[in-house]
Amino acid sequence: MHTTPVLIVGGSLVGLSAALFLAWRGVPVTLVEKHSGSSPHPRAMGFTERTLEYFRAVGIGDQVPQWDPNAKLRRARIDSLSGEPLSETPWTPGRIQEEKGHLSPVRGAGIPQDKLEPILRKAARERGADLRLGVELLSFLQDAAGVTAEVRDRLTSQAYKIRACYLIAADGADSPIREKLSIPRQGVGYLRTLRSVLFYCPAADEALRHGIQQFEIEQPGFKAFVTTYGDGRWVLMFGDDQERTDDELRTAVLRALGRAMPFEIITTGRWDMAGRIAKRYRDGRVFLVGDAAHQLPPTRGGFGANTGIDDAYNLAWKLQRVIEGVSTPALLDTYSPERQPIGWLRHQQTFARPDYTRWVGDILKGEQLYGDAAMELGQLYRSDAILGAGPELPPAAHPDVWAGQPGTRAPHVWVEFGGQQVSTLDLFTREFVLLTTEPRWCASAHRIGGVRAYCVGRDVVFPTAEPFTQKFGVLPGGATLIRPDGVVCWRAEGMAAEPTSALRAAMHQAAAWPA
């Protein structure tokens, strides 16, 4: 029997990200994936600033090409790719697309899933992850001490067992693991089944001259959606579940192109448009991530794969600390309370927007819509590990509004640290960090241990135009505590009468320290 602290079932984007994040944190991890490689039909394409911040943290940020800073994700109605745009449809009606360059050290990325996955595989293996492709899960059984899984190598038909302390289910929207655990889902449910054709046509890239990347084709008797993967590949999505012959596919592609030009059909696809969110993301020693936890259709907000990668980053540091024994298993109890509401929020935001209201009607009429910056960088966590995120707070807001609010991602500021210019986020990747201008807080951190303290003005120098107190919402003499995932978990607005007691109490709750 093979043994491993963590077993991941599913080796697509989210499973590979989880393996990478755990391996980077020094956690031995084994991943099994029934397929031998990536799907020939890329799915995800757009990745948010937050996802790129995670990749930056684990050392692969420079391998993922980022968006042009002047590029905007735009969608338009058009009669064909050879024609002129008829009108544009905004992602968030009533809102001007926000400038987010000052909010993050990185930009989002446009890279096809089948090109990102090899980067993740290579990086995970280099950091020690055991990736077993072509190996499928047959069954699993969990007990009080761990999970025993039976798997089979599909090439040799050899079956064997893997014993793990914890199991991460990244096995897709149909998730046999979730189904065996009888975890129910909620949401708009199944809406329709759609088909697509992937084709190669570099000449069609001329349609990108307007700066538009997504096109709604509208012709008499023919409607479809077309978008590009940026490498000469295009996907044409039909609004039905009709199986088409090769000739019919070629005719449809030519109608979308608008004029004769050379192209090659690569493959076809079929997928369900649905909205289903698991009511809980954990059952004992099993954790749901990605589509196993939240099934969402493609969106301009990147609410699918990015949400799953968020899951993996949230879970990885918690598993590390519990496996290493520096935190109690109570820390893992915070995974579902923090992540499940985010999945539900993204479900509501998806189906309340024009792209999908035509399929669900007015059931979400009146739902408050949040801008891109709020949804990507300003979502709020609430759990027992967050001190000061009350029920009166909204589920998301612009990061500038939060200003270091516990439960939100720490603000990005370019600071001087160790003789270099770095982002504040670069400081919050490995351990709990205390930021303060008050030496007495730093002394308290050294006294209790388990938290790294940086004295602002001495260890970390903020620019005059962006002072620490303003960006992190504290008074002179205050302090803020940031988790290893870059989330603020506690702050003291001013100097406490007993700083050591206050910080120790905060760490016991935020880090689930043993009593």
Side-chain angles (χ1 to χ4, degrees):
M1 181 183 294
H2 174 73
T3 60
T4 181
V6 181
L7 171 64
I8 300 172
V9 176
S12 190
L13 273 179
V14 176
L16 288 171
S17 295
L20 172 58
F21 298 155
L22 285 163
W24 176 73
R25 293 187 182 279
V27 178
V29 56
T30 299
L31 178 150
V32 297
E33 161 57 46
K34 63 183 179 181
H35 298 107
S36 59
S38 297
S39 167
H41 196 321
R43 288 162 287 173
M45 171 68 182
F47 297 91
T48 65
E49 288 88 346
R50 192 61 177 137
T51 292
L52 269 290
E53 288 171 2
Y54 300 150
F55 292 163
R56 174 186 173 99
V58 300
I60 64 168
D62 60 349
Q63 300 178 44
V64 182
Q66 299 177 25
W67 290 114
D68 183 309
N70 299 314
K72 305 291 184 183
L73 183 58
R74 298 163 59 195
R75 176 182 292 192
R77 291 174 51 248
I78 198 168
D79 58 2
S80 74
L81 293 181
S82 299
E84 296 296 316
L86 302 175
S87 64
E88 288 195 47
T89 57
W91 170 237
T92 308
R95 286 182 180 268
I96 298 174
Q97 197 163 18
E98 300 160 314
E99 172 54 50
K100 298 177 292 182
H102 70 289
L103 298 174
S104 174
V106 297
R107 298 184 301 277
I111 178 173
Q113 181 170 340
D114 63 337
K115 292 189 176 180
L116 177 57
E117 286 182 354
I119 296 173
L120 298 175
R121 282 192 207 100
K122 182 174 183 291
R125 282 185 166 128
E126 288 174 346
R127 289 155 181 79
D130 180 0
L131 307 184
R132 305 185 179 194
L133 305 184
V135 176
E136 62 183 337
L137 176 73
L138 300 178
S139 64
F140 73 95
L141 183 66
Q142 66 170 319
D143 53 52
V147 180
T148 301
E150 185 176 7
V151 302
R152 178 174 58 204
D153 187 308
R154 300 179 74 182
L155 181 62
T156 65
S157 296
Q158 179 185 5
Y160 58 97
K161 292 182 178 180
I162 299 176
R163 178 67 174 175
C165 299
Y166 298 99
L167 171 64
I168 297 177
D171 54 341
D174 294 332
S175 184
I177 295 175
R178 184 196 62 240
E179 292 303 297
K180 181 178 179 181
L181 296 172
S182 299
I183 297 177
R185 293 186 289 174
Q186 59 186 344
V188 299
Y190 169 84
L191 297 175
R192 58 195 294 133
T193 298
L194 306 175
R195 291 184 182 253
S196 62
V197 55
L198 180 71
F199 62 97
Y200 182 69
C201 184
D205 289 356
E206 172 65 19
L208 303 175
R209 66 189 181 279
H210 301 292
I212 296 168
Q213 304 88 4
Q214 299 181 346
F215 304 87
E216 296 177 10
I217 306 292
E218 295 190 5
Q219 301 174 16
F222 180 70
K223 291 186 177 182
F225 173 79
V226 182
T227 189
T228 177
Y229 286 103
D231 57 4
R233 291 182 298 174
W234 292 75
V235 62
L236 170 64
M237 295 187 184
F238 303 99
D240 58 47
D241 190 24
Q242 176 185 338
E243 186 171 358
R244 292 168 171 82
T245 65
D246 287 348
D247 286 343
E248 289 172 327
L249 289 173
R250 295 189 66 84
T251 299
V253 170
L254 281 170
R255 292 192 68 174
L257 292 174
R259 62 181 175 86
M261 60 182 78
F263 68 89
E264 174 189 352
I265 290 180
I266 301 172
T267 188
T268 58
R270 185 172 185 263
W271 59 279
D272 289 344
M273 180 192 293
R276 303 183 179 106
I277 310 299
K279 289 191 175 182
R280 66 180 190 277
Y281 287 10
R282 182 189 182 189
D283 186 292
R285 290 176 171 268
V286 181
F287 300 88
L288 307 183
V289 298
D291 287 354
H294 38 76
Q295 181 182 7
L296 293 169
T299 68
R300 282 184 268 178
F303 293 169
N306 291 285
T307 309
I309 295 170
D310 284 345
D311 296 336
Y313 201 75
N314 180 286
L315 182 59
W317 73 272
K318 296 174 180 178
L319 284 170
Q320 175 202 3
R321 292 183 64 89
V322 172
I323 289 168
E324 292 178 352
V326 295
S327 294
T328 69
L331 185 61
L332 299 175
D333 295 339
T334 67
Y335 171 67
S336 188
E338 290 183 1
R339 292 302 307 163
Q340 197 278 343
I342 299 298
W344 182 247
L345 173 64
R346 293 193 166 195
H347 172 279
Q348 300 297 85
Q349 292 289 301
T350 294
F351 293 103
R353 282 172 159 79
D355 290 3
Y356 288 101
T357 51
R358 56 178 166 166
W359 308 118
V360 300
D362 294 332
I363 62 173
L364 292 173
K365 185 177 181 179
E367 181 80 13
Q368 180 177 349
L369 297 181
Y370 297 98
D372 290 348
M375 289 302 297
E376 295 170 16
L377 304 172
Q379 296 172 117
L380 179 72
Y381 284 162
R382 293 184 178 92
S383 74
D384 289 342
I386 304 291
L387 292 79
E392 74 283 359
L393 298 174
H398 193 283
D400 289 342
V401 174
W402 284 132
Q405 162 66 43
T408 67
R409 162 188 165 276
H412 154 67
V413 182
W414 289 112
V415 296
E416 291 184 20
F417 176 78
Q420 296 181 318
Q421 185 184 62
V422 303
S423 168
T424 46
L425 299 177
D426 297 330
L427 308 178
F428 314 139
T429 59
R430 289 286 192 181
E431 54 198 333
F432 280 85
V433 172
L434 185 79
L435 282 184
T436 180
T437 60
E438 175 54 62
R440 285 177 289 176
W441 281 115
C442 292
S444 296
H446 294 314
R447 193 171 296 120
I448 68 172
V451 55
R452 183 175 294 277
Y454 294 126
C455 190
V456 175
R458 184 192 67 192
D459 305 318
V460 181
V461 180
F462 279 68
T464 304
E466 297 179 284
F468 163 68
T469 52
Q470 174 186 315
K471 298 298 291 187
F472 281 81
V474 297
L475 300 171
T480 184
L481 185 65
I482 301 97
R483 311 191 312 191
D485 60 350
V487 172
V488 179
C489 56
W490 170 84
R491 69 180 172 186
E493 292 189 0
M495 188 64 210
E498 296 289 341
T500 301
S501 297
L503 183 57
R504 180 180 287 112
M507 282 296 294
H508 268 288
Q509 187 167 340
W513 271 0

